Amino acid sequence: MSLTILGCHSATPRTSAHPTSQYLEINNKRFLIDCGEGTQVQLRKYKIKFSNINHIFISHLHGDHFFGLIGLISTFGLLNRKNDLHIYAPTGLKEIIQLQLKTSNSWPQFDIIYHELKNDQSELIFDDNKVEVYTVPLTHRVYTNGFLFKEKIGERKLNINAIKENPEIEICDYQNLKNGKDFVTKNGTIIENKELTFDPNKPLSYAFCSDTVYKPEIATIIKNVDLLYHESTFLKDRQEIAATTKHSTAEEAGKIAKKANSKQLILGHFSSRYTNLDLFKQEAETVFDNVVLAKEGKIITVDNKTFATELTINQ
Amino acid sequence: MSLTILGCHSATPRTSAHPTSQYLEINNKRFLIDCGEGTQVQLRKYKIKFSNINHIFISHLHGDHFFGLIGLISTFGLLNRKNDLHIYAPTGLKEIIQLQLKTSNSWPQFDIIYHELKNDQSELIFDDNKVEVYTVPLTHRVYTNGFLFKEKIGERKLNINAIKENPEIEICDYQNLKNGKDFVTKNGTIIENKELTFDPNKPLSYAFCSDTVYKPEIATIIKNVDLLYHESTFLKDRQEIAATTKHSTAEEAGKIAKKANSKQLILGHFSSRYTNLDLFKQEAETVFDNVVLAKEGKIITVDNKTFATELTINQ
């Protein structure tokens, strides 16, 4: 699983501070999360293929989370994209996108499939054989969701040494073993599956939570998540403005990570009021140990065997 | 008069190729022309004060000319702008902007005054004591205007040496002299204005023409313009695609400059198909002498005494 930060700042884009957007690869599926102005340029900068983007999740309809979407869609059109594009977003986005395509008479030749979100309860919104995605209802100034991405449990892994000791097992039996079935020999002896296979890799999960007030109820939904991105627009020195604007502080983000028993916390959506971002890490670390700061171009990779996390800066 | 190029490429924004936007200072008035995605970041990069932008002209509703506008308006809102914002754009833009402000519940505290353009004839759309702006009807795939910015003729300039020779002339008479009035002495002698003043600076003009097919009729509207920006999306090797997509070639841009008797031609809106942009200059120079290539950060200054043009690169 790897997460590339394309933008991690709040409000207005600046030369080296882009608004929210992330690119997630999980179990060989790829997702774009939020799409602030300039996201298409960030995708190019970090060499992410446009053809990898078939599913876009938009948390809420504030500009710093979706103003880049119409430009990305237009570019897909100019590049002669053919694949369907799925967009998971609050009700209202479809009208905004369709109005602009209509006004500019620039209908793309691919289909846009809008999955309009309006539920206040967590719901399953994407489900295939590898990944499922749930909404994480958040509380902000407009209707907002976070998203929980979960790998599905994979096939069991063949224990080739054990299999070799049973010459009756043929290659055509392997899929049954991977699916968890026991093996029955010609003379009727049952060899239990667990003697021939190893457990599959433990499925990984990622939760994206931006923008929101401190909302401890979400910990239940994202319980035991491997990687948690939680907004921390402010430090607790601005607790009051955080409450007024329905944002979180770094300490609150740390509390959510702790309550959810997350393995790692990524902080982002920093207000431009702050120049020393290390203070965010320090504040969150007062309540939760494993904290990293989002940074444009940072790639956070989680290995699903060792759960070790690796950071790369892609500049 | 000075023109700053914020973006001069067609279609999709890339890391170092922004879509159309220009900032014009003329006779101490300031105008933003077109506003492709990322324009607000370009304004910051080239240190143009947001408070200088009170009048925005949008040529047409293709994304590479207006997708940055909603983000700029939102940023104005976040920065607590109070001044009215005037937007001159084709019918349709108002609905797009208002829908997004409504959906995100982000009404700005300043007023946006939409001047909706739909006329197919050139019309005066801005007029104050310093500058007037006319539309230049263009022909593209959607309704499109160029814009002609003209300084108004200024006051006559005092000839201080001549004035000193006439001790009866007091400071309180200066404004009448600047306004062109003759001076009458106590004994009734008339001193003609032209003996006491110099001609005002010749008013300058700038024409912005993008996007359009080759349309020689516009030469009449922009006749004798000092500075002409004309799109040249293609070279003549792609004359056919230029015609199909309703764009111009560099040679055609040169022909317009010649026919309009422009003093200088700036080329822009280059297709990403071309890597060697010098070819555009060479092609236009086969029909018109004074050609420069638009480039992000380039400032083209025209002196209204000498008409000399100066180029600066602001990187």
Side-chain angles (χ1 to χ4, degrees):
Chain A
M1 178 167 81
S2 83
L3 179 75
T4 304
I5 306 294
L6 301 169
C8 56
H9 293 266
S10 71
T12 66
R14 282 153 285 144
T15 313
S16 56
H18 287 79
T20 305
S21 188
Q22 303 185 353
Y23 174 71
L24 177 69
E25 290 200 5
I26 179 170
N27 219 0
N28 281 317
K29 305 294 288 189
R30 295 160 190 92
F31 304 102
L32 186 70
I33 309 166
D34 278 352
C35 192
E37 184 175 353
T39 293
Q40 62 174 311
V41 177
Q42 295 293 89
L43 287 167
R44 285 184 197 269
K45 181 171 180 188
Y46 298 120
K47 303 198 180 348
I48 293 166
K49 281 189 185 171
F50 283 9
S51 58
N52 280 346
I53 296 173
N54 297 308
H55 298 275
I56 303 178
F57 294 79
I58 301 292
S59 62
H60 66 297
L61 298 184
H62 278 161
D64 52 333
H65 296 256
F66 84 96
F67 281 167
L69 184 58
I70 181 65
L72 184 61
I73 290 171
S74 297
T75 294
F76 284 160
L78 290 166
L79 297 175
N80 278 318
R81 178 195 175 97
K82 295 282 182 284
N83 288 340
D84 291 352
L85 179 67
H86 291 262
I87 299 176
Y88 308 77
T91 302
L93 182 70
K94 177 179 176 179
E95 192 183 351
I96 290 170
I97 299 296
Q98 295 297 102
L99 175 63
Q100 291 182 85
L101 295 174
K102 179 183 147 202
T103 306
S104 61
N105 195 21
S106 304
W107 296 108
Q109 64 283 40
F110 59 91
D111 285 333
I112 305 176
I113 295 136
Y114 296 92
H115 303 260
E116 296 201 303
L117 306 179
K118 52 190 170 188
N119 204 329
D120 286 325
Q121 304 296 316
S122 176
E123 60 180 330
L124 180 66
I125 55 172
F126 175 91
D127 186 21
D128 72 358
N129 59 342
K130 288 180 174 286
V131 175
E132 50 193 23
V133 185
Y134 295 85
T135 57
V136 181
L138 301 174
T139 300
H140 190 45
R141 303 195 305 278
V142 293
Y143 174 75
T144 303
N145 288 294
F147 302 104
L148 173 64
F149 300 82
K150 293 172 75 171
E151 287 184 356
K152 285 197 173 169
I153 197 157
E155 296 173 332
R156 297 189 64 78
K157 295 194 282 190
L158 300 179
N159 178 343
I160 291 297
N161 289 335
I163 287 170
K164 279 183 181 164
E165 288 170 17
N166 292 280
E168 276 188 32
I169 303 176
E170 295 179 21
I171 290 174
C172 59
D173 298 314
Y174 286 5
Q175 191 58 50
N176 280 338
L177 294 177
K178 288 179 183 173
N179 293 348
K181 290 194 179 159
D182 297 335
F183 185 76
V184 186
T185 62
K186 282 173 188 161
N187 66 14
T189 311
I190 291 171
I191 308 176
E192 281 186 39
N193 184 283
K194 68 180 178 186
E195 288 176 24
L196 299 169
T197 64
F198 300 115
D199 286 345
N201 289 332
K202 190 173 171 298
L204 292 174
S205 57
Y206 170 61
F208 167 90
C209 297
S210 181
D211 301 3
T212 188
V213 291
Y214 175 59
K215 191 174 184 184
E217 307 92 285
I218 64 172
T220 319
I221 302 168
I222 61 172
K223 196 75 187 172
N224 299 323
V225 70
D226 295 294
L227 195 59
L228 167 64
Y229 170 89
H230 195 288
E231 72 128 298
S232 57
T233 310
F234 300 104
L235 295 174
K236 62 181 179 181
D237 65 337
R238 287 191 172 87
Q239 187 80 56
E240 201 170 327
I241 185 172
T244 315
T245 59
K246 298 201 175 163
H247 281 299
S248 299
T249 66
E251 185 186 70
E252 289 168 340
K255 283 184 186 172
I256 298 290
K258 188 175 184 187
K259 197 170 163 66
N261 193 36
S262 170
K263 291 198 183 57
Q264 184 158 34
L265 169 65
I266 311 164
L267 296 177
H269 204 261
F270 310 115
S271 162
S272 64
R273 291 170 179 84
Y274 299 97
T275 48
N276 181 6
L277 299 183
D278 287 333
L279 298 174
F280 284 82
K281 183 165 150 66
Q282 289 164 25
E283 182 176 302
E285 281 176 344
T286 60
V287 284
F288 183 77
D289 281 340
N290 197 353
V291 180
V292 296
L293 296 175
K295 183 172 157 63
E296 286 175 31
K298 191 177 268 191
I299 302 171
I300 298 135
T301 310
V302 184
D303 181 302
N304 69 350
K305 288 180 193 155
T306 63
F307 287 90
T309 303
E310 197 180 321
L311 300 178
T312 321
I313 296 292
N314 178 356
Q315 292 292 15
Chain B
M1 178 168 80
S2 83
L3 179 74
T4 304
I5 306 295
L6 301 169
C8 56
H9 293 266
S10 70
T12 67
R14 282 152 285 144
T15 313
S16 57
H18 288 78
T20 305
S21 188
Q22 303 185 353
Y23 174 72
L24 177 69
E25 290 198 6
I26 177 169
N27 218 0
N28 281 318
K29 305 295 288 188
R30 296 160 189 91
F31 303 103
L32 186 71
I33 310 166
D34 278 352
C35 192
E37 184 175 353
T39 293
Q40 62 174 312
V41 176
Q42 295 294 90
L43 287 167
R44 284 184 196 270
K45 183 171 177 186
Y46 298 119
K47 303 199 178 352
I48 294 165
K49 281 188 185 172
F50 282 10
S51 58
N52 280 346
I53 296 172
N54 297 308
H55 298 275
I56 302 178
F57 294 78
I58 301 291
S59 63
H60 66 298
L61 299 184
H62 278 161
D64 52 333
H65 296 256
F66 84 98
F67 281 166
L69 184 58
I70 180 66
L72 183 61
I73 290 171
S74 297
T75 295
F76 285 161
L78 289 166
L79 296 175
N80 278 318
R81 178 195 176 97
K82 295 282 182 285
N83 288 340
D84 291 352
L85 178 68
H86 291 262
I87 299 176
Y88 308 77
T91 302
L93 183 69
K94 177 179 177 178
E95 191 184 352
I96 290 170
I97 298 296
Q98 296 296 100
L99 175 63
Q100 291 182 85
L101 295 174
K102 179 181 147 203
T103 306
S104 61
N105 195 21
S106 305
W107 296 109
Q109 64 283 37
F110 59 90
D111 285 333
I112 305 176
I113 295 135
Y114 295 93
H115 303 260
E116 297 201 302
L117 307 178
K118 52 192 171 189
N119 204 328
D120 285 327
Q121 303 296 317
S122 178
E123 59 180 330
L124 180 66
I125 55 172
F126 175 92
D127 186 20
D128 71 0
N129 59 342
K130 289 181 175 283
V131 174
E132 49 192 24
V133 185
Y134 294 85
T135 57
V136 181
L138 301 174
T139 300
H140 191 44
R141 304 195 304 278
V142 292
Y143 174 74
T144 302
N145 288 295
F147 302 104
L148 173 64
F149 299 82
K150 292 173 77 170
E151 288 184 356
K152 286 197 172 170
I153 197 156
E155 295 174 331
R156 297 190 63 78
K157 294 193 284 188
L158 300 178
N159 179 344
I160 291 297
N161 289 336
I163 287 171
K164 281 183 179 163
E165 289 170 15
N166 292 280
E168 277 188 33
I169 303 177
E170 296 179 21
I171 290 176
C172 59
D173 299 314
Y174 285 6
Q175 191 58 50
N176 280 339
L177 295 178
K178 287 179 183 174
N179 293 347
K181 291 195 178 157
D182 297 335
F183 184 78
V184 186
T185 63
K186 283 174 187 160
N187 65 16
T189 311
I190 291 171
I191 308 177
E192 282 188 37
N193 185 281
K194 65 180 181 187
E195 290 177 23
L196 299 169
T197 64
F198 299 115
D199 286 344
N201 290 332
K202 191 173 171 297
L204 293 174
S205 58
Y206 170 61
F208 167 89
C209 298
S210 180
D211 302 1
T212 188
V213 290
Y214 175 60
K215 191 174 183 183
E217 306 93 285
I218 64 172
T220 320
I221 302 168
I222 61 172
K223 196 77 186 172
N224 299 324
V225 71
D226 295 295
L227 194 59
L228 166 64
Y229 170 89
H230 195 288
E231 73 127 301
S232 58
T233 309
F234 300 103
L235 296 174
K236 63 181 179 181
D237 65 338
R238 288 193 171 86
Q239 187 81 56
E240 200 169 327
I241 184 170
T244 314
T245 59
K246 299 200 174 165
H247 281 299
S248 298
T249 64
E251 184 186 72
E252 288 168 341
K255 283 183 185 172
I256 298 290
K258 189 175 183 186
K259 196 171 164 67
N261 192 37
S262 170
K263 292 198 182 57
Q264 182 158 35
L265 170 65
I266 311 164
L267 297 177
H269 203 263
F270 309 114
S271 163
S272 64
R273 290 169 179 85
Y274 300 96
T275 48
N276 181 5
L277 299 183
D278 287 333
L279 298 175
F280 284 82
K281 182 165 151 68
Q282 289 165 25
E283 183 176 302
E285 281 176 343
T286 61
V287 284
F288 184 78
D289 281 339
N290 197 354
V291 180
V292 295
L293 296 176
K295 184 172 157 59
E296 285 175 31
K298 191 177 266 191
I299 302 171
I300 297 134
T301 310
V302 184
D303 182 302
N304 69 350
K305 289 179 192 155
T306 63
F307 287 90
T309 303
E310 196 180 321
L311 300 179
T312 320
I313 295 292
N314 178 355
Q315 292 292 14

